[in-house]
Structures are given as structure tokens and as C-alpha cells.
Amino acid sequence: MATRPPVLFFGHGTPMLTLTRNKYTSAWAALGKSIPKPKEILCISAHWMTQGFQLTAMATPRTIHDFGGFPRELYSLRYPAPGAPDVAREVVAVLREAGIEAKTNATQGFDHGAWVPISCTRRADRRQTTPRGARSATSASARCSCGSRSGRE
């Protein structure tokens, strides 16, 4: 029987974390090394507000620099992980079957709520990643329920 991968929560903080090394980024990197490498990553970003749940279904999501006033170097960073459109479609089907409003999205890339913590945790390891948006009115318990229903082994 396969072991379920861990569910992690990151308060992603400033996008400047991608350019610096400090106790937070060191802890994230150590965490990334301490857990098994996932086949794919399902990431819920606080910066992508949607009607119902939406999952990015693109083979090559773009990096979104959804912030302002930072050094030019930060805007040149890219998170070139492949997308996982098949996983997105599978998770949408599971959520819909559970009566949860969900659909795929073929335009949303990686906003900094997704690419900052993942790139700090797995700096040299780009895994298939599926960003997911959620409506702002969704409660924390509803989001957790949605996450548990969409879990994969």
C-alpha cells in the first residue's frame, strides 16, 4: 500500500524569499529534503480568487509576477515546472463527484503564492505542479474538506 504524501501549509511571505537565504528559507529547504519527492504537487494559492475551485490545466504554466515595487532581479525569476493537466482534470472529476463546484482553467499560471514556497522548498527539483484557486468566501474547514477529497496516493 502506498504511503500518502504529506499535506503542507506555507505562509509564503514576501517573494524576496526567493532571492535570500535566512532561517525561513533554510527551514523550507530542509523540509524539502526530509520528505519523499512527490510525483506532482497540488498547490492552493491565496492569491488566486475564483468562483468555485479552479485547477490550472496547462502543460507549461507561466510564472506570474503578481506584486510590485521589488528589485528588477525578482521579476526575471521563473518557475519552469511542468503543469499536470491530467491531474487537474482528475481532481476536478473527484471534486464534482463529491458535489463540490470545480473546473479546469487553461490560462492561470503560477502566481507568487504558489511558486515562492515551492521554489524555496525544492530549489533544484521541478515537479509537475497544479495550482488551484479558491473562492474567498470558502471557509478553512471547506478548503480542508476539499483538499482531503482531492488527495492522491
Side-chain angles (χ1 to χ4, degrees):
M1 179 185 226
T3 302
R4 266 199 129 140
V7 174
L8 305 172
F9 170 83
F10 287 95
H12 70 279
T14 172
M16 289 296 294
L17 291 172
T18 57
L19 300 177
T20 60
R21 300 293 182 266
N22 57 38
K23 65 182 180 180
Y24 301 107
T25 59
S26 295
W28 288 1
L31 175 65
K33 290 177 183 172
S34 72
I35 59 176
K37 289 184 178 182
K39 289 187 283 185
E40 63 253 339
I41 298 170
L42 179 62
C43 176
I44 302 172
S45 173
H47 289 272
W48 184 20
M49 293 293 131
T50 63
Q51 289 288 57
F53 289 100
Q54 293 187 28
L55 287 90
T56 297
M58 302 168 64
T60 312
R62 63 190 168 89
T63 303
I64 301 170
H65 298 90
D66 55 330
F67 43 75
F70 290 96
R72 181 180 300 276
E73 180 183 9
L74 191 56
Y75 298 93
S76 67
L77 291 179
R78 299 291 179 262
Y79 183 70
D86 290 343
V87 173
R89 286 187 285 276
E90 180 182 329
V91 171
V92 164
V94 169
L95 293 174
R96 285 180 176 168
E97 191 173 292
I100 297 171
E101 181 184 355
K103 65 181 180 179
T104 59
N105 181 306
T107 60
Q108 177 72 18
F110 300 120
D111 63 50
H112 83 275
W115 65 263
V116 168
I118 297 171
S119 64
C120 288
T121 306
R122 300 221 172 253
R123 288 199 185 274
D125 179 28
R126 304 288 188 237
R127 295 287 160 180
Q128 284 190 321
T129 305
T130 303
R132 181 169 75 188
R135 71 178 81 179
S136 58
T138 305
S139 69
S141 62
R143 289 182 189 201
C144 288
S145 174
C146 181
S148 68
R149 292 177 191 273
S150 63
R152 293 168 45 87
E153 293 186 18

